[in-house]
Amino acid sequence: MVLLLGAVGLAMQTAVYAWSWYMVYYPILHDWRRYNFIDGKYVGDEYMGRGITYSFWGHIFTILLYFALLVIVANAYGGLKIGYLKPMDVFMSQAFTLLVVNIITYCLFLIIEVKYVDVLPLLGVFLVQLFISFGWAYITNYIYMSIFPPRKLLLVNGEYAADDIIAKFNTRKDKYRIIKKMNISEGIEKIYKECLEDYDGVIIWDVPNQYRNGLVKFCYGNNKRVYVMPKITDVLLKGSTQLHLFDSPVFLLRDYSIKVEQRFLKRVMDIVLALVLIIISSPFMLFTAIAVKAYDGGPILYKQVRCTINRREFKIMKFRSMRVDAEKDGVARLASKNDSRITPVGSFIRKCRLDELPQLFNILKGDMSFIGPRPERPEIINQYLKDMPEFAFRTRVKAGLAGYAQIYGKYNTTPYDKLKLDLTYIENYSIWLDIKLLLLTPKIMLTPDSTEGIEDDQTTAMKNS
């Protein structure tokens, strides 16, 4: 049903494009004309002969190609995850999908015509498609929720408090309802009995291994869904290699290292993209620099010591978004939700991510990559290592401008969860994963939740409890 609803939505968007292709762009590409100007003024065009000529099946192929591009890009951006994502997230994913596919399509028009092709009709198509996508995202979400009501769940937790995980599930009350919470200290037999009640699934949160393994098998054997919050060991095993040496499965977990050819391709991609983006973003960097300087006369750039691969220190560059004396007390702290240190100009450039643009020069220098774990400050890393020695694992690769934890997490995601996300990237690394995360980055940049600060009583993302 989800595939059908997604396909219908993409088909409607393709129908809008099909109209513009047949009524506007095919006639332009079909007839070659020379546009005559005298003293810079257009005085008419002159018919020069026939250009491309399509049969009926040629038109069908062109429209199907557009539909196929929509499917491929929408799948990468999550535009087909109806019911899984919130309707606004589905719409945002489809908006980026339409933008990317329409840009590709327009570039093909330019290649075929070998001169300027009017972009306004395609912009009109894009606006109509956005309107359809917005309405269809909410209609399909309503249909999905009408058929599949929220799942009733039992939460089983261990030593640590479950407030944080409950708060996360409560953000999706359209999909999940935690009906009851039980602690493993109540007794495993009592929990087994409770699992057989009228629940659609069981959440296992921070349960010791000696109980967790049996609980997972019990739920699986009784056809109960299991939502397991993985431990670091689980993430590492998920990225392991399965060996078939004999009749017993073997998981091989080796020291992490990117292959030579992967390092080469990753570095080439970093250099090329950094150079291109520096050229494209130079006007934005100039305006941002003027605005930062004009506000309070302080420094334009903010340089801060961060750690990259093997905890090697370097100075990261950002456009300054806080007051000059933001850390006059000498305490390293992340930005909070209502941080008074952030200037009005800083608030704007942080929301638009303009403050991150100077890091393109860090990438060009080789201190960072486009994709990788976000670089942390040495002081904050030392704080995290006291409670979580495994946090050092994420420095086995070069730090990145964006990463797995930024795409699937938030600014205020706890260090433990960030570590698990970053280890997922490290243990499953490939150039294709980098490309996928690069494609997803623009969408995340425009998602307000991703820049949500820590609480006012925190100095790092580590929860005080």
Side-chain angles (χ1 to χ4, degrees):
M1 188 196 73
V2 170
L3 288 175
L4 178 62
L5 292 175
V8 170
L10 296 184
M12 289 191 291
Q13 293 160 3
T14 303
V16 177
Y17 165 76
W19 178 88
S20 73
W21 161 255
Y22 194 76
M23 300 300 294
V24 179
Y25 286 106
Y26 176 67
I28 292 175
L29 302 177
H30 181 61
D31 292 338
W32 281 351
R33 294 180 178 275
R34 182 170 64 193
Y35 299 94
N36 299 314
F37 294 85
I38 298 178
D39 296 331
K41 295 183 179 180
Y42 174 70
V43 295
D45 53 52
E46 180 181 357
Y47 181 69
M48 300 295 292
R50 286 291 176 89
I52 61 171
T53 300
Y54 281 9
S55 65
F56 170 78
W57 291 109
H59 291 295
I60 296 297
F61 175 79
T62 301
I63 294 167
L64 288 178
L65 179 62
Y66 184 87
F67 180 79
L69 282 173
L70 282 181
V71 172
I72 294 169
V73 181
N75 187 55
Y77 276 121
L80 298 177
K81 292 186 175 181
I82 297 167
Y84 178 76
L85 298 177
K86 295 177 182 178
M88 182 52 71
D89 290 336
V90 172
F91 167 68
M92 288 292 293
S93 299
Q94 291 192 2
F96 274 97
T97 296
L98 293 167
L99 180 63
V100 170
V101 173
N102 285 333
I103 288 174
I104 293 173
T105 302
Y106 182 71
C107 289
L108 291 175
F109 291 161
L110 293 178
I111 293 171
I112 295 172
E113 187 68 0
V114 202
K115 64 176 186 291
Y116 173 75
V117 178
D118 190 5
V119 72
L120 290 179
L122 201 56
L123 287 176
V125 166
F126 179 59
L127 293 176
V128 173
Q129 288 174 324
L130 286 181
F131 179 79
I132 293 173
S133 177
F134 183 81
W136 192 242
Y138 280 89
I139 291 172
T140 52
N141 186 72
Y142 176 78
I143 294 172
Y144 183 92
M145 295 306 164
S146 298
I147 299 175
F148 303 105
R151 298 186 185 277
K152 297 180 292 183
L153 303 176
L154 168 67
L155 172 64
V156 181
N157 71 303
E159 176 185 354
Y160 294 101
D163 297 344
D164 188 48
I165 200 66
I166 291 174
K168 291 179 180 180
F169 272 88
N170 283 342
T171 62
R172 295 303 308 271
K173 289 186 176 180
D174 56 325
K175 286 186 67 66
Y176 308 111
R177 295 285 173 87
I178 297 178
I179 305 301
K180 186 174 181 178
K181 180 183 74 172
M182 295 185 72
N183 191 278
I184 198 69
S185 61
E186 297 181 43
I188 193 64
E189 294 300 328
K190 184 178 179 181
I191 291 174
Y192 282 166
K193 184 177 180 181
E194 186 66 30
C195 288
L196 297 177
E197 297 297 324
D198 187 25
Y199 298 109
D200 298 312
V202 178
I203 304 170
I204 300 178
W205 163 245
D206 192 49
V207 173
N209 288 336
Q210 65 266 33
Y211 300 115
R212 189 182 70 161
N213 294 342
L215 187 55
V216 170
K217 294 175 185 177
F218 180 83
C219 293
Y220 183 79
N222 287 279
N223 297 319
K224 292 285 184 179
R225 284 175 173 251
V226 185
Y227 300 85
V228 181
M229 306 295 112
K231 299 178 183 291
I232 291 174
T233 308
D234 300 324
V235 176
L236 294 175
L237 287 174
K238 187 175 182 294
S240 63
T241 303
Q242 185 170 354
L243 302 181
H244 298 282
L245 300 175
F246 20 77
D247 59 354
S248 182
V250 177
F251 290 133
L252 171 63
L253 190 61
R254 67 186 80 186
D255 291 339
Y256 175 80
S257 62
I258 301 180
K259 297 176 183 177
V260 174
E261 64 272 18
Q262 290 177 325
R263 287 202 303 268
F264 175 76
L265 289 174
K266 187 176 178 69
R267 183 62 184 145
V268 169
M269 188 165 64
D270 285 341
I271 293 173
V272 172
L273 283 176
L275 288 172
V276 171
L277 289 177
I278 285 172
I279 294 171
I280 293 174
S281 64
S282 55
F284 299 101
M285 286 197 273
L286 177 61
F287 293 143
T288 303
I290 293 172
V292 172
K293 189 69 176 179
Y295 177 73
D296 59 9
I300 293 171
L301 293 177
Y302 175 64
K303 296 181 180 181
Q304 190 179 73
V305 177
R306 298 286 182 99
C307 291
T308 182
I309 186 170
N310 298 323
R311 295 182 67 181
R312 178 173 64 83
E313 295 183 0
F314 73 102
K315 286 190 176 181
I316 196 172
M317 293 190 295
K318 289 185 176 185
F319 284 118
R320 184 173 56 85
S321 60
M322 292 188 176
R323 301 193 312 263
V324 178
D325 61 348
E327 291 185 352
K328 59 184 178 182
D329 57 359
V331 178
R333 63 181 79 238
L334 300 179
S336 60
K337 292 180 180 178
N338 303 301
D339 204 318
S340 60
R341 300 174 299 163
I342 300 175
T343 66
V345 172
S347 177
F348 175 78
I349 65 175
R350 286 171 73 95
K351 288 178 181 177
C352 299
R353 303 299 179 93
L354 294 174
D355 63 321
E356 308 279 359
L357 288 177
Q359 292 171 48
L360 293 172
F361 295 98
N362 287 119
I363 294 173
L364 204 56
K365 186 180 176 182
D367 291 328
M368 295 172 59
S369 176
F370 266 98
I371 302 298
R374 281 296 291 167
E376 292 283 5
R377 300 173 67 171
E379 311 93 295
I380 293 178
I381 289 178
N382 290 332
Q383 291 181 49
Y384 292 162
L385 288 175
K386 291 177 182 177
D387 296 315
M388 188 172 41
E390 302 91 344
F391 197 77
F393 294 168
R394 68 194 296 277
T395 59
R396 291 188 174 187
V397 296
K398 191 181 291 186
L401 179 64
Y404 205 91
Q406 280 63 50
I407 301 299
Y408 297 104
K410 299 179 182 180
Y411 179 79
N412 61 359
T413 297
T414 64
Y416 186 64
D417 287 331
K418 274 186 181 179
L419 174 59
K420 290 189 286 187
L421 290 169
D422 285 329
L423 285 177
T424 300
Y425 167 76
I426 291 171
E427 292 300 322
N428 296 276
Y429 177 78
S430 70
I431 291 295
W432 295 115
L433 179 58
D434 269 4
I435 293 173
K436 178 182 178 180
L437 295 177
L438 279 171
L439 290 173
L440 289 171
T441 298
K443 174 192 168 186
I444 299 302
M445 288 175 65
L446 297 179
T447 304
D449 287 351
S450 64
T451 58
E452 185 178 72
I454 60 175
E455 298 296 335
D456 294 335
D457 61 346
Q458 294 176 247
T459 56
T460 69
M462 186 78 78
K463 299 289 184 182
N464 292 334
S465 58

